Amino acid sequence: AQSVTQLDSHVSVSEGTPVLLRCNYSSSYSPSLFWYVQHPNKGLQLLLKYTSAATLVKGINGFEAEFKKSETSFHLTKPSAHMSDAAEYFCVVSFISGGSYIPTFGRGTSLIVHP
Amino acid sequence: DAGVIQSPRHEVTEMGQEVTLRCKPISGHNSLFWYRQTMMRGLELLIYFNNNVPIDDSGMPEDRFSAKMPNASFSTLKIQPSEPRDSAVYFCASTRDRVGTEAFFGQGTRLTVV
């Protein structure tokens, strides 16, 4: 069975400190992996994606994620948090079924940034 | 392209009324998804279409929910009759079915049933 787990429902950091949002997946094959961000009362915006090329993926706004097959993880990081990073972050795994690639969402991690 | 377009952005309706949510996917995308987002359950996949054909509606919560995709550029999600517990944000997304391609989401419809 395919699944995605975000290990923390909330992460709280101070502005200027590093951010780590954790994501683990379960898949019988090498999946496509994504991180999306949702600011309050907004839609979902793609931060970055992994598609079996480089294992370290760079995204927008200084975010990165590293695919580790041995750990079935795809954690999201940023060296220095900014107040504007406060949002909900979703790890997404794309599974193929019925001819479609189905985006399957983790429960989300709320990032709180303190001044 | 203007992206995935959903309408209305906000809908307030009374319990028992019919509600229709609309979605225009990105041109050339052949899969379309409807999701519901609530605090309690997060983002749930309700139904998806491939080339306008419904493939899996196992996420539709009840028979009160129905969805159609009459052509490649339009889909509707209907709730009849609506109930207060249907209050949520409903998202539509579309993808081009190739490995590694991301889903593009609309801005969502915030539904409030009173």
Side-chain angles (χ1 to χ4, degrees):
Chain A
Q2 330 286 4
S3 66
V4 55
T5 304
Q6 290 184 245
L7 298 161
D8 306 294
S9 60
H10 296 85
V11 169
S12 183
V13 301
S14 297
E15 190 174 22
T17 63
V19 175
L20 171 63
L21 306 183
R22 299 182 293 166
C23 173
N24 285 93
Y25 69 92
S26 172
S27 176
S28 55
Y29 54 88
S30 185
S32 296
L33 298 159
F34 310 84
W35 277 97
Y36 284 80
V37 60
Q38 184 180 30
H39 287 93
N41 300 312
K42 299 290 185 183
L44 291 141
Q45 180 184 18
L46 180 71
L47 269 181
L48 50 81
K49 63 180 180 181
Y50 167 76
T51 57
S52 74
T55 56
L56 182 63
V57 181
K58 294 185 183 298
I60 61 171
N61 300 334
F63 284 93
E64 293 183 347
E66 185 172 9
F67 173 70
K68 291 187 177 179
K69 186 175 181 179
S70 61
E71 299 177 9
T72 60
S73 68
F74 190 55
H75 301 334
L76 182 70
T77 61
K78 183 173 181 177
S80 176
H82 192 273
M83 295 297 291
S84 60
D85 294 328
E88 190 83 12
Y89 290 80
F90 294 94
C91 183
V92 177
V93 184
S94 182
F95 301 115
I96 187 167
S97 176
S100 295
Y101 288 86
I102 315 300
T104 301
F105 282 76
R107 285 301 307 269
T109 298
S110 179
L111 177 62
I112 302 160
V113 182
H114 300 284
Chain B
D1 202 315
V4 176
I5 299 172
Q6 289 186 248
S7 63
R9 290 293 308 278
H10 302 273
E11 176 81 34
V12 180
T13 190
E14 291 185 347
M15 182 173 63
Q17 295 298 306
E18 177 180 296
V19 175
T20 300
L21 311 181
R22 296 172 176 79
C23 175
K24 181 182 186 326
I26 293 173
S27 176
H29 285 192
N30 53 346
S31 283
L32 182 140
F33 307 86
W34 282 100
Y35 290 85
R36 179 172 69 174
Q37 185 179 34
T38 61
M39 289 292 290
M40 291 297 295
R41 302 174 69 91
L43 271 154
E44 304 172 273
L45 178 62
L46 300 177
I47 185 172
Y48 69 92
F49 296 82
N50 185 273
N51 293 321
N52 313 338
V53 176
I55 302 299
D56 186 349
D57 66 354
S58 61
M60 298 283 257
E62 299 173 38
D63 291 344
R64 298 183 295 106
F65 286 70
S66 62
K68 294 181 180 180
M69 192 166 185
N71 57 60
S73 59
F74 184 65
S75 177
T76 60
L77 178 67
K78 185 178 295 186
I79 308 172
Q80 166 63 14
S82 58
E83 295 183 4
R85 59 194 166 124
D86 301 330
S87 298
V89 181
Y90 291 81
F91 286 101
C92 176
S94 69
T95 66
R96 196 189 306 270
D97 275 327
R98 294 174 191 162
V99 63
T101 55
E102 66 270 30
F104 291 81
F105 285 80
Q107 288 297 300
T109 295
R110 182 175 296 276
L111 174 64
T112 304
V113 184
V114 298

